[in-house]
Amino acid sequence: MPSELSTYVSDTTPGRGALLPARSWLHSDAPSRSLNGPWRFCLSPTASTAQDFAAEDFDDRGWDRVPVPSHWVLQGDGAYGRPIYTNIQFPFPIDPPHVPDENPTGDYRRHFDIPADWLDSGRTVLRFDGVESLFKVWVNGVEIGSAGGSRLAHEFDVTSAVRPGDNVVAVRVHQWSAASYVEDQDQWWLPGIFRDVTLLARPSGGIDDVWLRTGFDDGRGRIVPEVTADAAAFPLTLRVPELGVEEIWTTADDVVPLDVAEVEPWSAERPRLYDATVSSAAESIALRLGFRTVEIHGDRFLVNGRRVVFHGVNRHETHPLRGRVFDEEHAREDLARMKRFNVNAIRTSHYPPHPRLLDLADELGFWVVLECDLETHGFDTVDWAGNPSDDPAWRAAYLDRIQRTVERDKNHPSVVIWSLGNEAGTGSNLAAMSAWVHARDSERPVHYEGDHTGEYTDIYSRMYASVPEVERIGTDSTGPALLHCTPAQSARQRAKPFLLCEYAHAMGNGPGGLDRYEALVHAHPRLHGGFVWEWRDHGILASAPDGTPYYAYGGDFGEVVHDGSFVMDGMLLSNDVPTPSLHEFKAVVQPIRFVFDAGHVTITNLRHSADTSDLRFHWRVEHDGALADRGELEVPVLTAGESREVRLPKIVASHDAETWLTIDAVLAAATDWAPEGHVTATAQLDCSLPRPLPAVRPRAGWQPHGGALTLGIAEFVDGSLTRLAGRAVTGPRLELFRAPTDNDESASDDVENSDAAVAGVSHADLWRRDGLHRLTSRRISTEHSAGALRTVDRVAAANSGLHVMVESTWSLEDDELELRVEIEPSSGWRTVWPRIGIRFKLPDGTAAVDGAEWFGLGPHESYPDSLRAAQVGRFSSNVDGLRVDYARPQETGHRSRLRWLRLMTGDTEALYVEALPDVHGRRPGFTLSRHTPQQITQAGHPFELPGSTASHLIIDAAQHGLGSRACGPDVSPEFALRPEARSIWLRLAAGRSGTTDMA
C-alpha cells in the first residue's frame, strides 16, 4: 500500500481544503498585510507527514532564517541544496504521477499580528502568489489546505483559524510532486516560497472580483462590467473621472454594458490608460482601463481594426541572484530596455509572471501573449508515453491552471492572446482548457503551438520554422501540406493568422538571418511576426575556486542530469548587458523604413497605429567617418502605414574619402522608457565617388632566398616575419578555425536548406574531424626580388590529404609595405569552413597592443547574416571591449568590411593597417583578441581562459554565418562559407602621431 505521504505528493488534484476560487489580482483599499520578510526555515532531505512543526507552541528557535520570497537553493551558499537546470529532461525518474522519496522539503514558520477590528466582520484570506512546487498551510496549528501550481496565485480562507493578536502560519513545501510533471519548463528548478505572501481582510459588503472588459470602435469606447459580490455589497459605483463616467448599480441586474462617447485607444505604441474605480460602502477597487478591441478577421489578427506584427521576445522571470523572485525596479528597467530596442511584444514563457509585471506592460505598452503554467516536455524522453495532456486523471489540474491564469490577469489591456502552455504534446485536456477559455473570454484568441493541426486553437503557431517554410505558410497556395497536417488540416491552418511563438534561438553568438524573417512579415499579411527565444540569459552568479565571479549554467552545481549552457540563450546577458544580437534585432524590426532613390528618401511609418509626431529626423554626412555636415530633415507627420518621399540635403562627396549619409529617427521628447534623442531607427546611404581599385604590380626576377631580410618596417628570417614596426610579430598564419559558437556545436537533425551539413553531426565536429583547429604548415619555397619577398606554404592537418596552398607576397610599393595573401584550397573538402583568414601574434613585450581604432562596420561585432545593426564609421575600443563575454566562451569580436585599422598601445598608435578590397570589391574583417580560437575553445567559462601574454590579430577574407542551429535553422546557403580561393591585401605602416582624431 502506498504511504499517506506518497499518495499526497503524487495526487494530481490541484488543491484541497479552504482553497478559494481563482479571481483577479486587484488593487483594493481593504486592509492587507505583507508577510514577506524573514521566516524560520528547516530543510529535510525527504518528505514527511509529521505536523508537529505546525503546532502553535513548536519551538523553532533552533531553525535558520530565510527571506520570503526566495528560493531556498539560492540561500545559504549551498546549505539548502543547489539549483538544477534541465530543458527537456526530468531530474527524477519518469514515473507519473509519482516522485522519489528523496524529495527536499522546506518547512517555514512565522508569526503575524492581526488587529482586532479585522475580525469584526468579513473574512480573512491568506494569499500565496508563487510557491514551487506543492505546499500545505497551517494557521495556529489548524490545517488550512494545500495547492500546486508553482507560478499561480492561491488564496485560502483562514477566517476560522485566526484570532486577534499573535498568530502563527506554517507552510510545508515539497520540491517534487505530481505538479512537477506539468512544470517541466526550460529553466532552473528553484523550490521555495518565491513570490509574495499577503494577508487580506475581506470586509462584509466587499467586492470579491471585478472584470471591466473594454472595446474600441472608431473613437468610441465600450465597458462591459462583471462584478462578483454579495447582495450586501450593493449599491456599487463605477467611476472613470477623466471620461465623466459615474454609474451606480443598485443591484446585480444593473451591472450592464455602457458606451463612452469619446476615448483614446490603448495600443502597445500609445498605451493610453484611464483610472477607474469600482466601489461599495466597504471597499474600493482601483483599475486602469485601456480601450481596445481584439479580433481575428480571416487570417488577420487585429487590434482596434489594424493588423498587429509582433516584434516580440520570450521572457522568463530570472535574475542571477534572486532567481524568479520579482523586483519591480529591475523589471521596470527590463521592460524599458525592451522598448528602447524596439521590442513590442512579450510571450510570458512559460507561465504567468508576477502580476505587477502586467501592470507595467499596460503602462509602458506591450502586446502580451499570456501563457499558462504548463509544460510536459520531459515526456519526449519516453516518446510521450504517459503524457498528462491526454490523461483524464489530470483534467482537473489542467483546467485549474488555465482558470487561475485567466482569472488573475483578465483585466489587463496588454494581454491580447491567451496561451495554454508550451511543449506539452496534445490531447483532450488541452482541448478542454481551450473550450473553457473560449467560454470565459470570447474576445481574446487562444494559442498553443502544439496544436499543429488546429483542432482547438485560433492561431496557427510554430517554433523554429525555417525561412523557406515560413514563406510557404505565408503564401495562398493550398500545398504542400504543412507539418503534421493533412491537406484539409493544412487548409484550415492557412486560414488563420500565423505566429512564430519561438524563433531565432539567441544562444551565444547569434542568431543570424533575422532580417529574412522580417522581410516575410511585410510580404505576406498572414504572417504576424513572432517571439525570439529569448530575452535574457538565466545565469546564476557563482564564484570560481579562486573567487572569480562568473555566471553558472547547467552542470555547474553538480546536477545528476542537466542540459548544460542551453539556459544561456538570451539577447541580454545575465548581467543586463545587451548582446550584439539585441542591437541586430532592434535594427531589423525598426518601425521606420528608409528607401533611397536619386536625391530622395521614401520614409514609411511601419507602426501599428501611432503616427510619427513623436519623432525627429536627424542627418549627418561623414567623410571616412569624420563628421562633415549635419542637420534636421523636414519630414511631415506620417500616419501608421503612410509613406512620403522627402528630398535629401545637398551632399558634397569627397574625392579623397568615402562619403556616407546617415539618417536617424529619434525621440523628440523623453518618454517613460527612453530619453529625448534616443535613436529608434536609422539608415545609411553610400554617397562616395567611384574610385578605381589599385592594381597589383607584377614582379619579376624572383630568386631563392634564405637568411635575414628587411623590407621597410618588416624584418624576416628565412622568409618568416619576426618584427613589424619595431615590435616582435609572428605570422601571417593561415586560420580556418573559429571557436565554435553554440550554433556551430549543435548536432541538430534540422538541416533543411543547409549547405554541407550532416544531420545529427555538428559543424564543429566536422571541423575537428578535418583538423581545422590543428593545422600545420610546410614551407614550399621562399623567394625574393627587388623590394619583395614571396613564400609558398602547404597547410594541412595530421592524417589528412586535404590541404590549402598559401602564397604570401611582401613588397615595398612607393615606400609602403604591402602584403598580399592568396589562399587556394585543394579539392576534396566536404564541409563549410568557419573562416578564411590569417593570424598575427603580437607578444606583449614592453608595450602590449591593448586597443584598436578602425574605419569599417561597427561598433558591435558583425557576421555575414547579422549585419543590419552595423554602420560604416570610425570606432574605437580596448581589446576587452571588442569581445562579448558569452557564458560559454566562443567566437566573438569580428568586425566586417574593414577599411583601416590602428592597433593601439594605450593612446599611442602601434601599427596602421589598411585593408584593400579584392578584385570582386569584397573587404576583409578583423578580430583582435587576447586569446587564439583554440584557447577560447578549451574554456567552458570566461574565468577558465588562460592568462595571456600576447594579442592576436586575425584578418578574415570571409566568415561563415551564424544561423540558429542551436535550436532552429542552420546558416542559410547564401551565408555559408564553402572552401574557396580568397585573397587578402593589406598595407601596413608604423604608428603615426596625430592621426587618432575620432568623429
Side-chain angles (χ1 to χ4, degrees):
M1 290 289 292
S3 67
E4 177 186 352
L5 176 63
S6 175
T7 301
Y8 168 62
V9 297
S10 61
D11 188 359
T12 62
T13 303
R16 294 186 181 276
L19 187 62
L20 295 169
R23 67 187 184 113
S24 300
W25 194 85
L26 296 170
H27 298 276
S28 168
D29 67 354
S32 66
R33 290 209 166 178
S34 171
L35 298 189
N36 293 350
W39 288 51
R40 292 288 187 179
F41 179 76
C42 180
L43 182 69
S44 302
T46 60
S48 169
T49 57
Q51 298 182 14
D52 58 328
F53 88 103
E56 293 184 69
D57 58 356
F58 180 82
D59 185 359
D60 60 15
R61 288 175 295 178
W63 285 17
D64 297 333
R65 291 182 184 270
V66 297
V68 169
S70 72
H71 305 280
W72 69 61
V73 293
L74 297 183
Q75 302 296 314
D77 195 23
Y80 311 119
R82 289 294 194 180
I84 299 170
Y85 166 61
T86 63
N87 172 29
I88 55 172
Q89 302 185 80
F90 285 121
F92 45 79
I94 304 174
D95 181 26
H98 308 291
V99 294
D101 295 336
E102 294 83 3
N103 187 356
T105 297
D107 289 337
Y108 294 79
R109 285 173 54 92
R110 74 156 288 167
H111 289 256
F112 63 91
D113 185 73
I114 290 185
D117 57 1
W118 270 38
L119 307 181
D120 291 344
S121 63
R123 296 174 299 152
T124 301
V125 170
L126 182 60
R127 183 178 70 212
F128 294 84
D129 283 313
V131 182
E132 183 177 329
S133 82
L134 173 67
F135 68 106
K136 184 179 287 187
V137 182
W138 294 261
V139 173
N140 295 329
V142 177
E143 183 175 322
I144 300 300
S146 62
S150 298
R151 269 68 69 177
L152 303 169
H154 297 89
E155 294 183 331
F156 297 90
D157 189 338
V158 297
T159 307
S160 61
V162 296
R163 62 194 175 216
D166 183 59
N167 294 260
V168 178
V169 59
V171 183
R172 171 163 288 162
V173 182
H174 302 285
Q175 177 162 13
W176 310 124
S177 69
S180 303
Y181 283 101
V182 294
E183 294 178 358
D184 186 35
Q185 291 99 337
D186 178 7
Q187 61 179 346
W188 296 96
W189 298 88
L190 299 173
I193 305 174
F194 69 94
R195 285 186 184 158
D196 307 293
V197 182
T198 311
L199 198 67
L200 306 171
R202 301 298 309 131
S204 296
I207 304 167
D208 289 329
D209 203 359
V210 175
W211 185 7
L212 298 183
R213 310 187 202 202
T214 62
F216 177 82
D217 183 15
D218 195 24
R220 296 178 60 84
R222 185 168 176 81
I223 301 173
V224 181
E226 176 185 293
V227 178
T228 304
D230 293 336
F234 289 87
L236 299 176
T237 304
L238 166 67
R239 292 185 178 89
V240 189
E242 194 173 353
L243 298 177
V245 172
E246 182 165 335
E247 291 285 316
I248 299 175
W249 301 318
T250 305
T251 68
D253 292 338
D254 297 331
V255 182
V256 295
L258 65 148
D259 294 322
V260 184
E262 293 184 10
V263 298
E264 298 176 44
W266 184 97
S267 74
E269 296 165 351
R270 298 270 171 87
R272 181 67 161 94
L273 294 170
Y274 293 88
D275 291 329
T277 58
V278 177
S279 305
S280 70
E283 182 179 19
S284 182
I285 304 293
L287 305 98
R288 294 189 299 181
L289 304 185
F291 289 89
R292 50 94 183 113
T293 295
V294 179
E295 56 190 335
I296 291 177
H297 278 176
D299 61 0
R300 307 291 194 273
F301 175 83
L302 310 176
V303 175
N304 298 333
R306 296 187 63 87
R307 170 176 172 261
V308 173
V309 175
F310 294 91
H311 295 132
V313 295
N314 284 273
R315 180 191 181 273
H316 268 289
E317 292 197 312
T318 182
H319 186 275
L321 292 174
R322 297 186 295 271
R324 282 187 288 279
V325 175
F326 183 75
D327 178 88
E328 184 163 332
E329 181 179 357
H330 186 260
R332 180 181 285 275
E333 173 53 30
D334 225 24
L335 296 195
R337 185 182 291 110
M338 288 183 187
K339 297 285 286 188
R340 293 195 293 271
F341 280 91
N342 290 335
V343 174
N344 71 359
I346 298 169
R347 178 179 177 228
T348 68
S349 53
H350 298 293
Y351 43 82
H354 189 283
R356 275 291 291 158
L357 186 95
L358 297 173
D359 287 341
L360 299 179
D362 293 342
E363 175 187 326
L364 294 173
F366 291 92
W367 311 116
V368 174
V369 176
L370 188 64
E371 196 145 271
C372 184
D373 187 9
L374 177 67
E375 182 168 339
T376 67
H377 205 166
F379 285 94
D380 182 64
T381 303
V382 293
D383 199 24
W384 296 96
N387 181 24
S389 295
D390 203 35
D391 184 344
W394 294 81
R395 181 184 176 94
Y398 273 55
L399 286 172
D400 180 76
R401 285 172 180 267
I402 194 63
Q403 289 165 13
R404 293 188 179 278
T405 298
V406 171
E407 297 293 357
R408 194 196 74 169
D409 298 325
K410 56 185 178 284
N411 278 293
H412 291 283
S414 58
V415 176
V416 294
I417 297 173
W418 300 113
S419 180
L420 303 180
N422 185 68
E423 292 176 325
T426 190
S428 59
N429 294 333
L430 287 156
M433 294 168 73
S434 179
W436 183 89
V437 176
H438 282 121
R440 183 71 177 111
D441 182 7
S442 61
E443 298 174 0
R444 283 180 274 211
V446 173
H447 163 275
Y448 175 64
E449 183 270 343
D451 180 26
H452 292 145
T453 60
E455 296 175 9
Y456 49 85
T457 50
D458 306 306
I459 293 169
Y460 181 34
S461 178
R462 288 284 308 283
M463 53 176 67
Y464 306 111
S466 67
V467 168
E469 185 181 5
V470 173
E471 186 168 25
R472 291 194 295 269
I473 293 169
T475 64
D476 291 329
S477 170
T478 57
L482 301 176
L483 183 71
H484 303 313
C485 290
T486 67
Q489 292 165 341
S490 298
R492 175 167 63 195
Q493 293 294 64
R494 281 195 170 97
K496 298 176 181 178
F498 177 75
L499 194 61
L500 280 164
C501 67
E502 295 179 21
Y503 81 111
H505 193 263
M507 186 176 180
N509 189 347
L514 284 170
D515 53 344
R516 301 185 71 216
Y517 285 99
E518 180 68 11
L520 292 179
V521 167
H522 298 289
H524 305 288
R526 176 181 302 147
L527 308 179
H528 287 73
F531 298 82
V532 170
W533 187 268
E534 63 174 310
W535 170 242
R536 167 187 289 279
D537 280 1
H538 297 221
I540 293 178
L541 189 61
S543 295
D546 65 356
T548 301
Y550 74 101
Y551 293 99
Y553 50 73
D556 288 338
F557 297 107
E559 300 100 308
V560 175
V561 296
H562 63 85
D563 286 304
S565 62
F566 209 73
V567 77
M568 309 298 243
D569 46 15
M571 294 192 292
L572 196 68
L573 299 179
S574 299
N575 60 356
D576 295 344
V577 173
T579 65
S581 70
L582 186 54
H583 290 275
E584 181 76 0
F585 178 89
K586 176 186 178 182
V588 166
V589 306
Q590 64 185 26
I592 305 297
R593 180 167 59 203
F594 304 89
V595 177
F596 295 100
D597 181 35
H600 293 81
V601 59
T602 298
I603 300 177
T604 304
N605 177 9
L606 298 175
R607 290 166 159 180
H608 171 264
S609 50
D611 63 28
T612 60
S613 58
D614 61 329
L615 300 178
R616 298 290 180 268
F617 293 82
H618 295 165
W619 62 268
R620 66 181 182 275
V621 173
E622 293 168 320
H623 298 318
D624 277 0
L627 183 65
D629 200 2
R630 69 195 320 163
E632 184 168 324
L633 205 61
E634 294 297 325
V635 180
V637 173
L638 305 177
T639 60
E642 185 180 7
S643 298
R644 287 287 188 93
E645 187 180 82
V646 177
R647 181 177 295 279
L648 293 172
K650 183 176 177 59
I651 299 169
V652 179
S654 170
H655 290 276
D656 302 317
E658 292 186 36
T659 299
W660 285 84
L661 168 70
T662 303
I663 300 177
D664 293 325
V666 306
L667 292 179
T671 68
D672 291 339
W673 46 269
E676 177 184 347
H678 167 77
V679 176
T680 297
T682 191
Q684 282 193 312
L685 175 66
D686 186 356
C687 303
S688 306
L689 298 174
R691 287 189 288 175
L693 295 177
V696 177
R697 298 181 185 180
R699 293 272 176 173
W702 292 102
Q703 299 291 328
H705 174 77
L709 178 69
T710 298
L711 290 175
I713 62 170
E715 301 174 31
F716 304 86
V717 174
D718 293 332
S720 297
L721 181 68
T722 58
R723 296 182 69 80
L724 194 59
R727 64 177 60 232
V729 177
T730 59
R733 177 188 188 278
L734 178 68
E735 188 62 84
L736 301 180
F737 188 65
R738 70 184 185 194
T741 67
D742 292 310
N743 293 312
D744 295 336
E745 290 282 13
S746 172
S748 170
D749 290 330
D750 180 10
V751 293
E752 179 198 16
N753 206 42
S754 296
D755 195 278
V758 178
V761 181
S762 72
H763 285 304
D765 281 341
L766 296 176
W767 299 339
R768 286 185 282 259
R769 179 202 67 187
D770 288 348
L772 297 189
H773 61 309
R774 51 179 177 82
L775 297 174
T776 60
S777 64
R778 178 173 64 85
R779 180 63 48 85
I780 301 294
S781 63
T782 302
E783 300 174 300
H784 82 279
S785 68
L789 173 70
R790 181 171 67 192
T791 61
V792 178
D793 296 285
R794 184 183 190 274
V795 181
N799 197 39
S800 175
L802 302 172
H803 65 275
V804 180
M805 300 302 294
V806 180
E807 179 180 291
S808 302
T809 302
W810 297 84
S811 60
L812 284 175
E813 309 289 352
D814 299 329
D815 296 327
E816 287 189 313
L817 181 65
E818 286 190 0
L819 168 63
R820 288 187 292 107
V821 181
E822 303 292 342
I823 301 164
E824 301 170 352
S826 68
S827 61
W829 293 93
R830 293 173 292 156
T831 66
V832 294
W833 278 353
R835 71 178 351 133
I836 302 174
I838 54 174
R839 172 157 58 91
F840 296 88
K841 181 179 179 180
L842 300 93
D844 288 350
T846 57
V849 170
D850 56 10
E853 297 178 358
W854 73 97
F855 176 44
L857 292 189
H860 310 289
E861 65 185 25
S862 55
Y863 293 83
D865 54 355
S866 183
L867 287 170
R868 289 287 289 275
Q871 293 192 0
V872 176
R874 291 195 199 188
F875 308 98
S876 65
S877 174
N878 59 30
V879 172
D880 289 341
L882 290 169
R883 73 168 191 265
V884 178
D885 281 330
Y886 297 111
R888 185 189 69 79
Q890 56 196 274
E891 164 65 28
T892 180
H894 180 261
R895 268 71 178 176
S896 306
R897 301 177 187 173
L898 179 67
R899 277 73 164 174
W900 54 252
L901 168 69
R902 294 177 179 135
L903 300 180
M904 307 298 294
T905 297
D907 294 330
T908 301
E909 181 181 332
L911 184 68
Y912 177 84
V913 181
E914 182 182 359
L916 301 176
D918 66 12
V919 294
H920 301 289
R922 299 172 297 192
R923 294 184 180 274
F926 84 95
T927 304
L928 182 64
S929 172
R930 297 292 292 174
H931 298 94
T932 68
Q934 292 76 9
Q935 290 173 324
I936 295 170
T937 302
Q938 296 301 312
H941 302 84
F943 73 85
E944 294 171 328
L945 288 166
S948 173
T949 58
S951 295
H952 302 272
L953 171 66
I954 301 178
I955 302 293
D956 282 319
Q959 272 257 3
H960 185 56
L962 299 174
S964 186
R965 195 179 174 187
C967 190
D970 200 0
V971 175
S972 297
E974 60 266 43
F975 304 117
L977 179 58
R978 292 306 303 264
E980 61 179 33
R982 295 297 290 255
S983 300
I984 296 174
W985 189 0
L986 306 176
R987 288 175 177 165
L988 302 101
R992 294 169 288 185
S993 61
T995 59
T996 60
D997 56 302
M998 299 295 293

